[in-house]
């Protein structure tokens, strides 16, 4: 079984399958460089005659794409930053500190994590729309639009996920209790110990959570669809669907826009693949 | 399930600072998760429509049983979940088994399989929308090449759900492969060595060692897979918007339509509670029978 020939054949099969998985991406790229004439020709021209960069220019001038990218970037960056801080602190407390009710509080957050986001969609919208004293609202949340069409409206629900807490807790629990004793002898209090000892130790998990949260936030479609209703607050995912909603879809431009919105994540993924894969494996096995 | 420390701590050693450290996280959890769930349960007993709220008792829940569209959406969601899950699990395991042999190019294989999983659902759906295009899409071009009559794909009520399932398999296959691969690599090598010494064939080894050792992983993927597939929405929204003739509408698509298109928030809340009940049922099943998956340790 383990001989060279079988291995050679398996490699060949896997190569074929991998390329099959990549076909949609090849198509996306190739279409984005074609002219509409080439797309509509009767024979399927696989490689475009001349690589047309004009599709990218045309696609990006249909709507304020600089603004959409900026929106996605702001929302993603703030979500990742705040999640890392809040989740690492909570994860540390659940893993290393002893206070009454600790485990009960942790289990409650685990249960909350399992609730499908669609269950909280409608109330979240109502809460954010009627949030007191923001977006023209009075003390009772009346009179304005609240946090609808704002970065806050998009970011706040993203931060509420318990997944990161779970991830940090798993990681911080792996250290021996003697570590805490040693730190205590050195005269550090629990919070200092978190900052000076556990944060440096947890670097890989910070990277894993950042990769996970960034993917999730950058790719989110449903929530921005609900909480925004004007053009200036659109994220790139929402802006992509603009091309589709017209009577005749200009495929070349749509594929150019799709390429550009996917590119940032794919590049980050290729360079930091370890952290993307590690995250799902760790949680997958211990969830 | 929960590992509690063996050491006993006197009240003097209580870390009250812990409350402060979980406070920010818990504040978010209460305001944006727990509180909304409670509100939603309340809404589901009202006829809330963004303007008025009247208590209507179980009317919404009685209504959904005679709501044909919702019943169709339940059926569609079941069909979608069943086929997507069966294929992703089977193909994911096969791919993981193949890659598990020390191959050259392992990294490339893993990357190409995982790439669709990283790509956003919107981007993925856009590409597939283009591939399914009845006039110029690659599927019809390929059929035409072999002289087969072209199909309407997403516009054909018999094919549309299949098209969505195919795209979803492509999207999540890499995730299943990576998890299975981690499971395979955690099986101790000495089991296989011992089996080889005993003269067990590869097939026998697969049935007697690999499959049983992978059972927790399979169980985990199965349960989370059901939960995740039940929430299918984005592909449907972009590829077909539930059509043709409700052939591809799903539970979440109905929640969205009722809530944010027709503004029947109370009714939509009731639908989402039904989804919550289904998902909770599956999750409870996991906790009851799935504890074998908890003690698998893969770093």
């Amino acid at each position: 079984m383990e001989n060279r020939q079988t291995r050679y054949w398996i490699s060949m099969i896997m190569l074929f399958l991998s390329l099959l998985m990549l076909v949609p991406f090849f198509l996306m790229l190739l279409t984005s460089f074609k002219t509409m004439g080439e797309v509509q020709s009767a024979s399927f021209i696989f490689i475009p005659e001349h690589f047309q960069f004009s599709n990218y220019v045309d696609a990006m001038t249909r709507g304020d794409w600089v603004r959409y990218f900026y929106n996605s970037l702001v929302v993603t960056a703030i979500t990742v930053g705040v999640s890392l801080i809040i989740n690492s602190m909570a994860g540390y407390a659940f893993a290393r500190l002893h206070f009454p009710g600790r485990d009960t509080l942790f289990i409650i957050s685990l249960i909350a994590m399992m609730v499908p986001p669609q269950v909280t969609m409608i109330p979240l919208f109502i809460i954010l729309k009627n949030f007191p004293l923001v977006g023209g609202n009075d003390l009772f949340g009346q009179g304005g639009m609240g946090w609808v069409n704002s970065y806050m409206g998009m970011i706040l629900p993203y931060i509420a996920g318990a997944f990161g807490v779970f991830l940090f807790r798993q990681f911080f629990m792996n250290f021996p209790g003697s570590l805490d004793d040693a730190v205590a002898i050195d005269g550090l209090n629990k919070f200092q110990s978190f900052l000076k000892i556990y944060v440096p130790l947890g670097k890989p998990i910070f990277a894993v959570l950042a990769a996970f949260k960034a993917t999730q936030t950058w790719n989110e479609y449903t929530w921005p669809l609900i909480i925004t209703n004007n053009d200036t607050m659109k994220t790139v995912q929402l802006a992509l669907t603009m091309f589709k909603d017209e009577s005749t879809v200009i495929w070349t431009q749509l594929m150019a826009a799709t390429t550009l919105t996917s590119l940032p994540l794919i590049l980050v993924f290729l360079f930091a693949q370890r952290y993307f894969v590690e995250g799902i494996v760790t949680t997958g096995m211990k969830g | 399930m929960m590992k509690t420390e063996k050491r006993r701590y006197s009240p003097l050693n209580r870390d009250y600072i812990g409350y402060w450290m979980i406070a920010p996280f818990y504040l978010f959890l209460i305001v944006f998760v727990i509180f909304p769930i409670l509100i939603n349960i309340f809404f589901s007993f009202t006829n809330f429509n963004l303007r008025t709220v009247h208590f209507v008792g179980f009317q919404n829940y009685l209504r959904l049983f005679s709501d044909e569209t919702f019943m169709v959406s339940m059926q569609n969601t079941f069909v979608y979940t069943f086929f997507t899950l069966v294929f992703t699990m089977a193909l994911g395991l096969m791919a993981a088994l193949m890659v598990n042999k020390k191959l050259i190019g392992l990294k490339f294989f893993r990357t190409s399989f995982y790439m669709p999983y990283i790509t956003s659902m919107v981007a993925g759906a856009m590409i597939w929308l283009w591939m399914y295009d009845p006039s110029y899409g690659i599927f019809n071009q390929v059929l035409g090449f072999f002289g087969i009559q072209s199909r309407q794909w997403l516009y054909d009520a018999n094919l549309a759900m299949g098209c969505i399932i195919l795209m979803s398999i492509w999207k999540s296959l890499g995730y299943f492969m990576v998890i299975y691969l981690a499971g395979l690599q955690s099986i101790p090598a000495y089991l296989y060595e011992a089996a080889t010494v005993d003269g067990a064939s590869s097939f026998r080894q697969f049935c007697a060692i690999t499959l049983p050792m992978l059972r927790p992983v399979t169980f985990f993927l199965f349960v989370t897979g059901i939960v995740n597939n039940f929430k299918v929405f984005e592909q449907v929204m972009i590829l077909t918007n539930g059509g043709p003739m409700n052939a591809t509408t799903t539970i979440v698509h109905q929640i969205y339509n009722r809530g944010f298109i027709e503004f029947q928030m109370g009714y939509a809340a009731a639908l989402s509670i039904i989804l919550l009940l289904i998902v909770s049922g599956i999750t409870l099943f996991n906790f009851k029978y799935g504890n074998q998956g908890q003690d698998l340790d893969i770093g």
Side-chain angles (χ1 to χ4, degrees), chain B residues 100-276:
Chain B
N100 201 29
K101 312 259 178 286
K102 296 168 183 59
L103 299 178
I104 310 160
L106 162 75
K107 240 189 134 159
F108 170 74
F109 301 149
R110 201 179 62 184
T111 309
S112 8
F113 270 76
Y114 204 62
M115 207 125 108
Y117 187 69
I118 293 291
T119 314
S120 79
M121 194 54 96
V122 181
M126 289 301 170
I127 303 169
W128 282 76
L129 199 63
W130 165 221
M131 299 202 314
Y132 285 132
D133 185 63
S135 321
Y136 316 111
I138 190 169
F139 283 108
N140 277 345
Q141 297 271 11
V142 170
L143 288 187
F145 181 79
F146 291 109
I148 303 168
Q149 204 198 351
S150 59
R151 301 276 193 282
Q152 288 294 309
W153 304 116
L154 295 168
Y155 299 95
D156 181 332
N158 298 318
L159 295 176
M161 188 47 103
C163 292
I164 291 178
I165 289 169
L166 186 62
M167 184 225 143
S168 307
I169 293 169
W170 168 80
K171 184 98 176 45
S172 54
L173 187 56
Y175 168 81
F176 281 72
M177 174 178 127
V178 167
I179 299 264
Y180 263 132
L181 195 56
L184 285 172
Q185 284 166 349
S186 75
I187 301 175
Y190 64 79
L191 290 178
Y192 292 108
E193 285 156 15
T196 312
V197 171
D198 289 345
S201 66
S202 314
F203 178 71
R204 185 68 210 281
Q205 289 189 19
F206 174 75
C207 294
I209 302 170
T210 313
L211 277 184
M213 291 297 284
L214 282 180
R215 196 173 297 141
V217 184
T218 303
F219 193 84
F220 164 82
L221 283 174
F222 177 72
V223 172
T224 52
I226 291 180
V227 171
N228 284 328
N229 283 320
F230 255 87
K231 298 188 274 194
V232 54
F233 168 68
E234 298 184 354
Q235 306 93 302
V236 170
M237 187 76 189
I238 292 160
L239 290 175
T240 61
N241 198 0
M245 306 286 294
N246 289 334
T248 56
T249 187
T250 60
I251 298 176
V252 176
H253 186 250
Q254 282 303 307
I255 296 172
Y256 178 82
N257 270 356
R258 298 292 190 186
F260 293 97
I261 306 286
E262 299 171 10
F263 295 116
Q264 304 180 30
M265 297 279 184
Y267 185 56
L271 298 187
S272 75
I273 297 296
I274 296 292
L275 177 71
L276 179 63

Side-chain angles (χ1 to χ4, degrees), chain A residues 14 18 21 25 31 39 42 44 98 100 103 105 114 118-119 122-123 190 219 222 237 244 273 284-286, chain B residues 4 15 19 26 36 40 99 109 111 114 118-120 130 141 170 179 220 234 238 252 256 265 283 293 297:
Chain A
M14 275 312 288
S18 301
M21 290 295 280
F25 293 109
T31 308
V39 164
F44 201 74
H98 306 270
D103 291 350
L105 287 169
M114 313 230 169
Q118 290 80 14
V119 175
I122 296 162
K190 294 292 180 188
N219 289 344
T222 313
Q237 307 296 344
K244 179 187 130 308
Q273 200 178 140
M285 293 304 104
K286 298 175 180 169
Chain B
T4 40
D15 305 311
Y19 291 120
Y26 240 86
N40 216 35
V99 171
F109 301 149
T111 309
Y114 204 62
I118 293 291
T119 314
S120 79
W130 165 221
Q141 297 271 11
W170 168 80
I179 299 264
F220 164 82
E234 298 184 354
I238 292 160
V252 176
Y256 178 82
M265 297 279 184
T283 311
D297 201 9

